Amino acid sequence: MTAPAPIAAPSASCTVALADEAATAALAARLAPTLGPGMVVWLVGGLGAGKTTLVRGLLRALGHTGAVRSPTFTLLEPYNLPRFPVYHFDFYRFSSPDEWRDAGFDEYFRGDGACLVEWPELAGPALPAPDLRIALDFAAQAGADGERGGERIARLEAHGDAGQRCVSAAAAAS
């Protein structure tokens, strides 16, 4: 696997405990007003960590009322929202870091919409650096039965002014 290009150290960060899906939606609602055209958000975390759940919350908070599908098989789900378009990418199935560019996805970045990217590490070093990087993980280790609890941790890292607005909004309500 090719790692993405190194990104600058975050200018600000915060950690938010997410007790359940409602808490994830609440975080998304705080972040949604800070998103805008041209922004890139990386969503990092293992399978089941809550990346698509967070995207669903962002889309709802931005006014989307229809279904929100994971783009695991389609690679891209576009949403034409009233304020600006949102492009939800999932690069989990990539086997080469050139696939995202070969698919023509590079034209979506830094354009008229915001790009939300799951599994950015699989796109390689040419993927544009994020304005905001959100790392999601389970809050506790698996129990004796192998099941994990529902609580997650979200660590938000700002990379520039746009990301700073997002981190400030998340930290204000934490």
Side-chain angles (χ1 to χ4, degrees), residues 13-87:
S13 65
C14 75
T15 301
V16 179
L18 304 171
D20 52 24
E21 195 169 328
T24 302
L27 172 61
R30 291 192 304 271
L31 293 175
T34 66
L35 294 181
M39 287 186 69
V40 176
V41 178
W42 286 6
L43 300 155
V44 178
L47 291 171
K51 298 179 296 294
T52 300
T53 300
L54 182 62
V55 169
R56 185 176 296 113
L58 284 168
L59 290 168
R60 294 275 182 257
L62 290 168
H64 180 70
T65 58
V68 176
R69 292 179 280 293
S70 172
T72 300
F73 294 101
T74 60
L75 305 179
L76 166 63
E77 288 291 335
Y79 298 91
N80 292 314
L81 303 177
R83 286 181 41 213
F84 54 87
V86 173
Y87 306 108

Side-chain angles (χ1 to χ4, degrees), residues 96-115:
S96 163
D98 297 322
E99 286 184 74
W100 76 277
R101 193 175 301 186
D102 291 344
F105 293 152
D106 55 329
E107 68 188 50
Y108 290 92
F109 288 83
R110 306 292 181 205
D112 65 341
C115 293

Side-chain angles (χ1 to χ4, degrees), residues 15-24 47-51 53 135-143 147-155:
T15 301
V16 179
L18 304 171
D20 52 24
E21 195 169 328
T24 302
L47 291 171
K51 298 179 296 294
T53 300
L136 294 155
D137 201 359
F138 294 93
Q141 298 293 333
E147 293 294 315
R148 294 185 187 216
E151 187 170 335
R152 309 302 198 265
I153 298 292
R155 178 163 174 77

